[in-house]
Amino acid sequence: MAPNSVRYEGEAHPRTLYDKIWADHLVHEADGVSLIYIDRHLVHEVTSPQAFEGLRMSSREVRRTDCTLATVDHNIPTSSRKNFKDTKSFIAEADSRTQVNRRCASPVLQQVVTLEQNVQEFGLTYFGMEDKRQGIVHVIGPEQGFTLPGTTVVCGDSHTSTHGAFGALAFGIGTSEVEHVLATQTLLMKKAKNMRIKVSGKLAEGVTSKDVILHIIGIIGTAGGMGCVVEFCGDVFENMSMEARMSVCNMTIEAGARAGMVAPDETTFNYLKGRPLCPKGKDWDKAVEYWKSLRTDKGAKFDKDIHIDAADIAPTVTWGTSPEDVVPITGIVPDPSQATDETKRTGMLRALQYMGLEPGTKMQDITIQKVFIGSCTNSRIEDMRSVASVVKGKKVSSGVEAMIVPGSGLVKKQAEAEGLDKIFTEAGFDWREPGCSMCLGMNPDRLKPQERCAATSNRNFEGRQGPQGRTHLMSPAMAAAAAIAGKLKDVRELLPEMQATNGKMAEPTKSMDFYSEPIDWTAPKEVQEPPSEGVAAPTSAGMPQFTSLDDVVACPLKKANVDTDCIIPKQFLKTIQRTGLGKAAFFELRYEDDGVTERQDFVLNQEPYRSASVLIAGDNFGCGSSREHAPWALNDQGIRCIIAPSFADIFFNNCFKNGMLPIAITKDIVEELWTHAEAKKKLTVDLTKQEIRREGCEAIPFEVDPFRRHCLLNGLDDIGLTLQKAEHIDSFEARRSSTFPWLDGPRYSRMKAEVRISTAKSSSFYTRVAKGFLGGLPASDDRPERPPAAQLILSATGNAIERAVRVAQDLKEEGDAEIIRIRTQTVAGSNQGGQVPQVLITVKAKSKPHAVPVMVASKGGAKEGSNGKQGTDW
Ligand SMILES: CC(C)[C@H](C(=O)O)[C@@H](O)C(=O)O
Ligand code: SF4
């Protein structure tokens, strides 16, 4: 089977890179909703606890442990790990050393320890704190070759877009979707639009990839890429290193896009070759052949097209509290009175007040107290080298505290081998251990109130690096220059000195020496939970229903670009539950600095809005981080429906997963509804009729995706619905194994089989069949040899259920297998129509089957299947 992506090459339907990857991952399509297969799933401690708990509650397992990789990054201290014994003692120590409130110590610990328990229980490969490969989730994926061209990559983290640098379709998801992927290895999605951003020409010296993406966001705005997957093309991206492409794709989320990508080329292949999880030998050649087909066809259509001239890009910095608030370093702080739009002017005024800046101030006159070099945007080896070339032989300005945090243990090791750490420490930088660190300050690294920081991270939201902290985003070279100057500085002025220094720098080491160590991929877990009769089935019911909100006064929140950091700040993300977050909703806007006294000017603190169930907000609501804690907090606060001119994609999706209704409606209508709400008049939001009603006014119709509407009205849960499509997923996986064998992990060996039991044959017949699977099947004329199955699913409906139970008992009594799970559910009946009961009994082989290498097992091709589909034919 040829991959879908090459089928139309050169034909009448030219397609974009995104179209091709989408086509190659389509498992099933119905009613305009697509079930998309996910090749790579990265997991971290903040957005996974509730997802694992969900699996546990419904007795579900991780479908593809071989395609899932976990690490810890957000919470962990970046102080020296020399005395590391175990997570518990280390985090507690680090917390008390930095005088963090003891009350905080326990939740921090809880999340990391929870992840450690979860990866053990579910059999996942994990780079923990004592592993030198640990690091920021978006640094370790590419570093290990886990991220590959043409794959779909997800993580419960908005900056998953980073991986698009490899020509992967990579995007952030919320926690409910994390659970969905863990359980099904798929996601229910709607196809996004295609957008192209072309930057042509040559970048001037001193201008880097970070300046390019900041410049782009300045032009298109933080909502500019909304609803789109962006392909970056043109000489500038072609000439970029992989590290530079990652910085660009990383911040596509700040441009509001779902994902960003660069077509894979020789630079990509050279970066990947030899990495531990990359295909090897013949598989490598086959993979490269496929990867080369991953280019947008000539004549393919883009819904949005942007062209930028590289010559227009200068070293760029932010002045405000949104990543779109950018100016060239040679510029001045803008004047809000020049803004034409009122919401924009109010936003600018607030940003200037927060940042403590006056319009007209020269950017280069702004003094700083902190420098943070790190984050998933800029913490890779090239970034380290760039900083070293600026600071070598110089000193950090007095009164400035500068820290540099490598993105992973391997980046750290490589930088140290190149002697960069010495350059940093001699200049007065604090050289730390890997983690997210002061990018969002979930660990002890934070700005103090009013402290001003030159940062290489990606978000300058209010409170992002610490309550009342002030962040200016820029490139590593620019942040380094600011550290030396004590104020924002044009790095181009240092170029002559830097050129002289670079000549004296040690040769970069060959990165492969550090990256090619084999991974001991975690074995599937041996210990299973005890059998649990009648455990919750993969049913599709289980979400709160939404039908209508009748006669309520809505709350007018007249603010655009409300980010999820603002909806719920980082200090509340340490929970491992979904509930109890109402008090944290809009925390900074809602309370004075003491965190208790309500701010009277905040609308949700005023009557009758305090208990509003409908919120009416400005453009681009819910932008930024993927944290599902944002809808959880709003929901807990009582808000079930949000009306706005536009929403950020991840937040929008997250709402539906929690039985909440986001309504996107024109700006004019939003303004009309603001006036209505300010007059404290009531309205009704009716999902059944898809309209907003107000007394004496015409009803306002609104659009909602039919599938989402159906789920909301009926309280249906996506995972249950998807599991009803299990057969499609099974056959997709079989096809994937034969077409893209390099995507199956080393221990993935098709060890599950299904035996469908009917009343046509006796139970002893099915027991023999089951034993055949458990012992492995010899080759025959029409079938290649079949390795023993580690687990069997005995499935039966209606009258055959009793027979299935008998087979399971026989296998148990005769010592062939143990019963590990029994699930019951109702499914659509085949002949008689209506719903019929179904039982799925999972049994585990008593003797350990030998794992079969992927290539051997895939010889049977798609027909043989990944989970014993043959079993159904017996
Ligand atoms: C914690 C996580 C949900 C969040 C994200 O999605 O971006 C974080 O990485 C951030 O940068 O704010
Ligand atoms: S943006 Fe910051 S907090 Fe989020 S993943 Fe990247 S480094 Fe971590």
Side-chain angles (χ1 to χ4, degrees):
M1 173 206 144
N4 290 327
S5 58
V6 293
R7 212 185 308 148
Y8 298 119
E9 188 73 52
E11 288 185 10
H13 306 291
R15 297 195 293 173
T16 64
L17 169 57
Y18 169 50
D19 296 341
K20 292 180 178 190
I21 300 181
W22 179 270
D24 277 341
H25 291 84
L26 191 60
V27 174
H28 182 72
E29 204 170 12
D31 306 324
V33 182
S34 307
L35 190 63
I36 294 294
Y37 196 81
I38 302 302
D39 295 313
R40 298 287 183 253
H41 188 187
L42 288 152
V43 172
H44 66 63
E45 79 279 16
V46 182
T47 50
S48 64
Q50 296 85 348
F52 284 113
E53 187 56 17
L55 290 188
R56 215 173 274 119
M57 303 267 291
S58 43
S59 304
R60 288 170 181 149
E61 290 183 45
V62 176
R63 184 176 177 101
R64 295 297 301 257
T65 49
D66 61 320
C67 297
T68 313
L69 177 62
T71 194
V72 57
D73 51 7
H74 284 70
N75 276 290
I76 52 170
T78 54
S79 48
S80 167
R81 290 180 201 165
K82 279 204 184 99
N83 299 325
F84 184 90
K85 280 190 253 46
D86 58 46
T87 315
K88 268 189 186 173
S89 57
F90 183 74
I91 293 183
E93 254 179 51
D95 270 339
S96 53
R97 234 194 339 262
T98 48
Q99 312 275 293
V100 168
N101 189 330
R102 288 298 297 168
R103 276 177 303 161
C104 294
S106 118
V108 171
L109 197 101
Q110 203 175 22
Q111 222 167 42
V112 179
V113 171
T114 302
L115 180 62
E116 288 179 354
Q117 285 163 353
N118 284 332
V119 295
Q120 257 178 28
E121 183 183 335
F122 289 92
L124 301 182
T125 301
Y126 174 58
F127 295 167
M129 282 186 71
E130 66 281 37
D131 191 315
K132 64 175 178 295
R133 296 161 299 185
Q134 173 270 333
I136 305 175
V137 75
H138 310 306
V139 175
I140 64 157
E143 204 166 66
Q144 294 299 325
F146 186 68
T147 308
L148 294 173
T151 53
T152 44
V153 182
V154 298
C155 174
D157 197 283
S158 54
H159 288 101
T160 312
S161 55
T162 312
H163 308 258
F166 290 80
L169 173 58
F171 49 91
I173 54 178
T175 297
S176 298
E177 288 179 315
V178 168
E179 185 183 337
H180 195 285
V181 176
L182 289 172
T184 70
Q185 206 59 31
T186 62
L187 276 177
L188 286 162
M189 297 180 74
K190 287 221 124 188
K191 192 155 182 250
K193 290 193 181 124
N194 277 293
M195 177 168 180
R196 174 167 54 189
I197 300 184
K198 188 170 183 178
V199 184
S200 323
K202 199 169 174 296
L203 293 176
E205 265 203 85
V207 179
T208 67
S209 53
K210 182 67 165 282
D211 303 304
V212 173
I213 188 66
L214 285 173
H215 181 85
I216 291 173
I217 297 169
I219 291 178
I220 67 172
T222 47
M226 196 171 274
C228 298
V229 166
V230 175
E231 180 172 346
F232 295 100
C233 61
D235 330 321
V236 164
F237 302 110
E238 279 162 26
N239 294 328
M240 275 183 188
S241 66
M242 286 315 294
E243 281 88 349
R245 290 179 192 178
M246 282 189 252
S247 302
V248 171
C249 290
N250 175 277
M251 287 192 72
T252 358
I253 191 72
E254 271 65 53
R258 194 83 181 96
M261 53 202 337
V262 179
D265 59 7
E266 288 304 320
T267 308
T268 323
F269 312 148
N270 289 338
Y271 174 96
L272 285 173
K273 194 152 196 199
R275 304 224 168 224
L277 298 176
C278 273
K280 312 258 169 349
K282 284 206 176 101
D283 267 357
W284 170 262
D285 299 336
K286 216 174 151 187
V288 172
E289 194 192 319
Y290 167 61
W291 296 342
K292 284 186 176 163
S293 76
L294 295 172
R295 305 198 76 84
T296 290
D297 296 333
K298 243 195 169 142
K301 272 195 77 66
F302 285 89
D303 303 283
K304 278 190 183 177
D305 225 340
I306 307 277
H307 282 218
I308 291 171
D309 187 348
D312 294 342
I313 309 176
T316 304
V317 290
T318 59
W319 58 266
T321 53
S322 161
E324 70 184 19
D325 297 341
V326 297
V327 279
I329 181 65
T330 46
I332 54 167
V333 174
D335 185 351
S337 66
Q338 308 294 312
T340 42
D341 177 297
E342 206 222 305
T343 325
K344 174 109 189 139
R345 187 168 35 252
T346 329
M348 282 175 82
L349 279 168
R350 183 178 164 100
L352 288 185
Q353 192 194 15
Y354 181 88
M355 292 297 288
L357 292 174
E358 288 298 325
T361 310
K362 284 191 186 142
M363 291 308 288
Q364 298 206 60
D365 286 345
I366 298 175
T367 53
I368 50 152
Q369 292 80 48
K370 281 258 163 79
V371 172
F372 167 64
I373 291 165
S375 88
C376 56
T377 324
N378 285 119
S379 61
R380 298 178 180 81
I381 189 67
E382 262 193 25
D383 303 315
M384 304 289 125
R385 290 182 191 139
S386 165
V387 173
S389 71
V390 177
V391 306
K392 188 171 165 67
K394 303 197 173 68
K395 290 275 178 229
V396 168
S397 171
S398 63
V400 173
E401 270 178 51
M403 71 192 296
I404 179 158
V405 187
S408 72
L410 295 179
V411 170
K412 181 168 163 90
K413 197 172 164 194
Q414 188 173 352
E416 288 174 356
E418 293 181 20
L420 305 183
D421 57 323
K422 299 257 160 32
I423 299 177
F424 301 142
T425 45
E426 277 164 20
F429 274 88
D430 191 4
W431 176 236
R432 314 284 291 186
E433 294 290 330
C436 293
S437 178
M438 210 202 273
C439 172
L440 94 163
M442 273 190 82
N443 74 343
D445 308 340
R446 277 179 219 151
L447 292 183
K448 296 191 194 82
Q450 281 81 46
E451 241 176 5
R452 191 179 295 283
C453 177
T456 66
S457 44
N458 42 41
R459 288 181 175 147
N460 50 347
F461 302 147
E462 287 185 23
R464 170 75 181 180
Q465 296 195 278
Q468 302 301 317
R470 295 166 174 168
T471 304
H472 295 272
L473 303 176
M474 63 197 73
S475 74
M478 286 284 290
I484 303 302
K487 54 186 189 164
L488 304 189
K489 168 125 192 119
D490 190 342
V491 70
R492 290 174 297 188
E493 290 169 20
L494 302 177
L495 281 174
E497 290 171 56
M498 280 163 64
Q499 270 144 8
T501 321
N502 280 343
K504 286 184 241 145
M505 298 261 291
E507 272 293 294
T509 52
K510 281 201 201 99
S511 52
M512 285 305 130
D513 297 346
F514 292 108
Y515 294 126
S516 58
E517 286 169 41
I519 287 190
D520 178 17
W521 204 253
T522 304
K525 65 176 170 180
E526 291 296 329
V527 192
Q528 301 274 1
E529 313 91 280
S532 43
E533 304 273 335
V535 165
T539 124
S540 57
M543 278 236 314
Q545 277 176 299
F546 187 111
T547 46
S548 72
L549 297 169
D550 300 321
D551 290 326
V552 295
V553 177
C555 173
L557 182 65
K558 297 172 82 175
K559 199 169 173 340
N561 297 318
V562 174
D563 58 77
T564 50
D565 276 69
C566 167
I567 299 174
I568 180 164
K570 58 185 152 274
Q571 61 269 34
F572 300 102
L573 304 190
K574 293 177 195 295
T575 176
I576 57 170
Q577 269 144 26
R578 292 175 201 241
T579 49
L581 290 171
K583 62 178 184 321
F586 297 113
F587 193 78
E588 310 274 330
L589 296 179
R590 214 156 135 194
Y591 301 107
E592 301 288 351
D593 294 348
D594 62 6
V596 193
T597 316
E598 288 187 350
R599 288 185 201 271
Q600 282 320 305
D601 60 351
F602 184 55
V603 67
L604 266 168
N605 288 336
Q606 298 160 7
E607 295 300 345
Y609 308 119
R610 191 182 279 283
S611 54
S613 54
V614 178
L615 188 72
I616 308 170
D619 256 321
N620 198 19
F621 188 84
C623 58
S625 151
S626 65
R627 54 190 75 168
E628 199 165 316
H629 309 69
W632 293 337
L634 295 179
N635 211 351
D636 212 58
Q637 149 80 22
I639 295 166
R640 304 286 321 282
C641 168
I642 302 139
I643 303 173
S646 59
F647 291 87
D649 289 331
I650 307 178
F651 176 85
F652 192 70
N653 276 341
N654 284 342
C655 284
F656 290 109
K657 310 281 170 190
N658 291 283
M660 295 163 73
L661 174 65
I663 301 177
I665 215 150
T666 65
K667 219 173 174 164
D668 294 347
I669 297 182
V670 164
E671 279 166 10
E672 199 182 312
L673 292 178
W674 273 339
T675 315
H676 185 83
E678 279 170 339
K680 302 184 180 160
K681 291 193 195 151
K682 293 184 175 168
L683 53 72
T684 291
V685 177
D686 185 343
L687 177 61
T688 325
K689 292 196 173 152
Q690 287 184 232
E691 59 187 30
I692 300 167
R693 288 189 296 273
R694 291 163 299 161
E695 218 180 85
C697 303
E698 240 178 71
I700 303 167
F702 61 83
E703 296 283 320
V704 52
D705 173 80
F707 173 73
R708 297 286 178 216
R709 178 174 173 272
H710 174 73
C711 291
L712 281 182
L713 288 176
N714 297 294
L716 298 181
D717 144 46
D718 283 2
I719 301 182
L721 288 173
T722 299
L723 285 174
Q724 291 171 2
K725 303 264 181 307
E727 281 176 19
H728 295 280
I729 307 176
D730 294 344
S731 55
F732 181 91
E733 277 178 341
R735 256 187 353 255
R736 176 184 183 259
S737 290
S738 59
T739 315
F740 308 115
W742 59 87
L743 294 181
D744 288 332
R747 302 255 176 123
Y748 179 62
S749 53
R750 295 158 186 74
M751 291 194 298
K752 254 189 191 169
E754 182 182 358
V755 179
R756 283 197 192 166
I757 295 169
S758 75
T759 47
K761 302 265 167 112
S762 65
S763 63
S764 57
F765 170 83
Y766 288 113
T767 307
R768 279 203 308 281
V769 171
K771 284 186 177 186
F773 274 107
L774 292 170
L777 300 173
S780 67
D781 286 350
D782 57 351
R783 185 193 60 221
E785 187 183 356
R786 204 199 145 86
Q791 285 189 6
L792 282 187
I793 299 171
L794 309 172
S795 67
T797 51
N799 296 340
I801 289 181
E802 214 176 298
R803 198 151 299 184
V805 175
R806 164 62 62 81
V807 173
Q809 266 162 1
D810 286 351
L811 290 172
K812 188 178 163 198
E813 275 159 26
E814 291 166 31
D816 297 288
E818 56 185 295
I819 301 170
I820 59 170
R821 177 164 301 144
I822 301 178
R823 287 186 198 156
T824 53
Q825 62 181 346
T826 51
V827 292
S830 48
N831 301 326
Q832 66 273 51
Q835 296 282 304
V836 293
Q838 185 188 43
V839 70
L840 297 164
I841 308 175
T842 308
V843 300
K844 186 180 160 216
K846 267 284 173 61
S847 58
K848 206 175 167 192
H850 31 272
V852 177
V854 164
M855 283 310 288
V856 175
S858 68
K859 270 188 192 157
K863 208 173 146 230
E864 178 63 5
S866 65
N867 71 343
K869 289 308 291 175
Q870 271 196 334
T872 39
D873 301 327
W874 278 69

